[in-house]
Amino acid sequence: MPAKNDGPEAGTQSKSEHTRALILETAMRLFQENGYDKTTMRAIAKEAGVSVGNAYYYFAGKEHLIQGFYDRIAAEHQVAARSVLETETALEARLAGVLTAWLDIAEPYHEFAVQFFKNAADPDSPLSPFSAESEHAREQAISVHREVLAGSKSKVSPELRDALPELMWLSQMGLVLYWVFDRTEDRERSYRLARRGARLTARGVALSRFRVLRPLVLEVHELFNDFLPGMTKALPAPRSRT
Amino acid sequence: MPAKNDGPEAGTQSKSEHTRALILETAMRLFQENGYDKTTMRAIAKEAGVSVGNAYYYFAGKEHLIQGFYDRIAAEHQVAARSVLETETALEARLAGVLTAWLDIAEPYHEFAVQFFKNAADPDSPLSPFSAESEHAREQAISVHREVLAGSKSKVSPELRDALPELMWLSQMGLVLYWVFDRTEDRERSYRLARRGARLTARGVALSRFRVLRPLVLEVHELFNDFLPGMTKALPAPRSRT
């Protein structure tokens, strides 16, 4: 999926990319106006001025439109986080910058997120950020956290280097959940939570120099991997040891 | 509120307690059948065979019925957890027992929980487990975790004795969220998560003997208190230091 070309920042778009973006934008608008459940592919195609067959050529169904939207958000976030990742070296500042960049770019979609929440909250739904279907967008989002960690001057043990970015992304999902329900002006509470969360994470990572803590961090990570079905490629089989 | 007398386990009920329980049960049934949003106080009163005025005498509105339901669940849970709390001494076994007891008693309400979820997920809603309105049920639920900790042979530093039961209850809320979406037979995954979560918590508490960890635990606790509005008695004012 050519996610990088979906964003409004994209330069020259081919006709095909343009049509794809048009369908996605029209869908997002209709989802916002009429709700996700009530909006049909037919209505989206009609409003976008393309044939129904053409709409299905680009997106096999409504779920795929949401995946396209997730990919776009992830791509926009990567662009928005760039300057922080290129200038900051302290883990707390890098993480705070990346989280607040997400809040910045997500703001136009807040209203949609509120009404869409009930579809995405179910971890078994293809629309959940934890689903197998969301893997592409999730991988993009986790890679940002990998970069947050790799480019910081914080020392991280090799044992934790794989687990931490996924855990940082999970705590970002906690922030997103909080943001969905945040009614303060300019999402002031969400921005504060992003900064506080970044400070807490940086302190936790600093403590991981104590060897005694590492098994616990790894166990937390393993627990999420075992219980959030999409986090690993395949649904893990029930383990006999639990 | 005489929550202890709401449950089906109650022995002799006064007429008033009986009417109250009847209204609550009727409401829960109608909520399950027709959805919370579509069920009116008038319909509940009619179905229960009481006057509308009488229904309002016991419950000032639909939100109060939900609070009554939360209180009942909390009271049933306290009863169901009793035997584990009286026999087990290891923290892991106590916590696993208490969490699985909750899954046992909540099972009849699973269908309702699924459809009610969208009302309760908003932390600012009076129906959220974090709201000021839910304080009574929340306090009951946290007190169970206080007992889990106090009666275990695990050594806990005085600094953490207040924070840990609230954090344990928060992780129970995580389990509840997982359970709402659990479609495995007999909620098998939720039971496994309860046991794994209990093991992880017990290991975390064991690590808290390392002094270096305590500030982090306290900071996590403070973060939840600052950002979940109902967790403290009053909504905390934005702090200048964040």
Side-chain angles (χ1 to χ4, degrees):
Chain A
M1 226 179 291
K4 289 216 172 80
N5 294 325
D6 286 342
E9 295 85 359
T12 53
Q13 288 186 322
S14 70
K15 181 152 188 305
S16 157
E17 281 159 356
H18 175 78
T19 307
R20 192 175 187 281
L22 174 69
I23 295 168
L24 187 54
E25 257 138 49
T26 307
M28 290 306 303
R29 183 161 52 79
L30 292 185
F31 290 159
Q32 293 226 35
E33 285 170 14
N34 310 322
Y36 174 78
D37 296 328
K38 285 189 191 134
T39 304
T40 62
M41 283 295 276
R42 182 169 295 274
I44 294 163
K46 192 180 171 201
E47 183 77 10
V50 302
S51 73
V52 177
N54 206 3
Y56 275 109
Y57 170 79
Y58 288 101
F59 297 98
K62 285 201 290 178
E63 284 100 352
H64 297 258
L65 278 157
I66 296 294
Q67 297 305 334
F69 170 63
Y70 287 167
D71 283 338
R72 163 181 292 200
I73 289 272
E76 282 186 37
H77 185 217
Q78 283 187 322
V79 172
R82 194 50 45 214
S83 72
V84 160
L85 292 176
E86 278 167 5
T87 55
E88 298 287 354
T89 56
L91 180 57
E92 180 179 338
R94 289 172 72 79
L95 183 55
V98 158
L99 294 176
T100 54
W102 190 90
L103 294 173
D104 291 342
I105 63 123
E107 184 55 32
Y109 311 110
H110 188 264
E111 198 186 331
F112 173 68
V114 170
Q115 71 98 348
F116 185 69
F117 170 70
K118 67 177 195 304
N119 302 81
D122 179 348
D124 279 332
S125 159
L127 305 175
S128 156
F130 303 108
S131 72
E133 288 81 355
S134 301
E135 191 187 338
H136 185 263
R138 183 170 63 246
E139 273 306 316
Q140 279 187 287
I142 293 172
S143 76
V144 173
H145 287 287
R146 217 166 272 134
E147 217 182 320
V148 165
L149 201 63
S152 87
K153 55 190 184 205
S154 297
K155 292 275 171 287
V156 177
S157 80
E159 290 158 83
L160 296 186
R161 209 164 285 151
D162 290 335
L164 279 176
E166 286 191 12
L167 289 175
M168 287 155 71
W169 173 77
L170 270 169
S171 60
Q172 183 188 331
M173 292 301 101
L175 174 66
V176 171
L177 179 63
Y178 194 83
W179 168 83
V180 166
F181 292 113
D182 185 357
R183 293 185 193 78
T184 55
E185 206 176 342
D186 298 329
R187 319 289 165 218
E188 180 262 339
R189 281 207 295 191
S190 294
Y191 280 91
R192 286 200 296 129
L193 180 58
R195 289 190 292 267
R196 277 279 290 278
R199 194 174 71 188
L200 192 58
T201 303
R203 286 185 188 182
V205 170
L207 283 180
S208 77
R209 71 179 184 273
F210 295 98
R211 202 171 274 280
V212 68
L213 253 184
R214 290 180 207 157
L216 195 71
V217 175
L218 291 175
E219 198 170 336
V220 170
H221 184 244
E222 196 186 87
L223 184 135
F224 281 116
N225 270 328
D226 286 355
F227 286 90
L228 291 172
M231 288 284 290
T232 46
K233 309 278 179 227
L235 188 80
R239 292 190 177 196
S240 52
R241 67 191 179 82
T242 56
Chain B
M1 222 179 293
K4 290 220 172 77
N5 293 326
D6 285 342
E9 296 85 359
T12 53
Q13 289 186 322
S14 70
K15 179 153 191 304
S16 157
E17 282 160 356
H18 176 78
T19 307
R20 192 176 186 280
L22 174 69
I23 295 168
L24 187 55
E25 258 140 49
T26 307
M28 290 306 303
R29 182 162 52 79
L30 292 185
F31 289 160
Q32 293 225 36
E33 286 170 12
N34 310 321
Y36 174 77
D37 295 329
K38 285 188 191 134
T39 304
T40 61
M41 283 295 277
R42 181 169 296 275
I44 294 163
K46 191 178 171 205
E47 183 75 12
V50 302
S51 72
V52 177
N54 205 4
Y56 275 108
Y57 169 79
Y58 287 100
F59 297 97
K62 285 201 291 179
E63 285 98 351
H64 296 257
L65 278 157
I66 297 294
Q67 297 305 334
F69 171 62
Y70 287 166
D71 284 338
R72 162 180 293 199
I73 289 272
E76 282 186 36
H77 185 216
Q78 283 186 323
V79 172
R82 193 52 44 217
S83 71
V84 160
L85 292 176
E86 277 166 6
T87 54
E88 298 287 353
T89 56
L91 180 58
E92 182 179 335
R94 289 173 72 79
L95 183 54
V98 158
L99 293 177
T100 54
W102 190 91
L103 294 173
D104 291 342
I105 63 122
E107 184 54 33
Y109 312 110
H110 188 263
E111 199 186 333
F112 173 68
V114 171
Q115 70 98 349
F116 185 69
F117 169 71
K118 67 176 195 305
N119 302 82
D122 179 347
D124 280 332
S125 158
L127 305 176
S128 156
F130 303 107
S131 72
E133 288 81 355
S134 302
E135 192 186 336
H136 184 265
R138 184 170 62 246
E139 274 306 317
Q140 278 186 286
I142 293 173
S143 77
V144 173
H145 288 287
R146 217 166 272 133
E147 215 181 320
V148 165
L149 201 63
S152 87
K153 55 189 185 205
S154 296
K155 292 274 170 290
V156 176
S157 79
E159 290 158 85
L160 296 186
R161 210 165 285 150
D162 290 336
L164 279 176
E166 286 191 11
L167 289 175
M168 287 154 70
W169 173 77
L170 269 169
S171 60
Q172 183 189 332
M173 292 301 100
L175 174 66
V176 171
L177 179 62
Y178 194 82
W179 168 83
V180 166
F181 293 114
D182 185 357
R183 293 186 193 79
T184 55
E185 206 177 340
D186 299 328
R187 319 289 164 220
E188 180 263 338
R189 281 208 295 192
S190 295
Y191 280 91
R192 286 199 296 131
L193 181 58
R195 290 189 292 267
R196 277 280 289 278
R199 194 175 71 188
L200 192 57
T201 304
R203 287 185 188 182
V205 170
L207 284 181
S208 77
R209 72 179 185 274
F210 295 98
R211 201 170 275 279
V212 68
L213 254 185
R214 291 180 207 157
L216 195 71
V217 176
L218 291 174
E219 198 170 337
V220 170
H221 184 244
E222 196 185 88
L223 184 134
F224 281 115
N225 270 328
D226 285 357
F227 285 90
L228 290 172
M231 289 284 290
T232 45
K233 308 277 180 230
L235 187 80
R239 294 188 175 194
S240 53
R241 68 191 177 82
T242 55

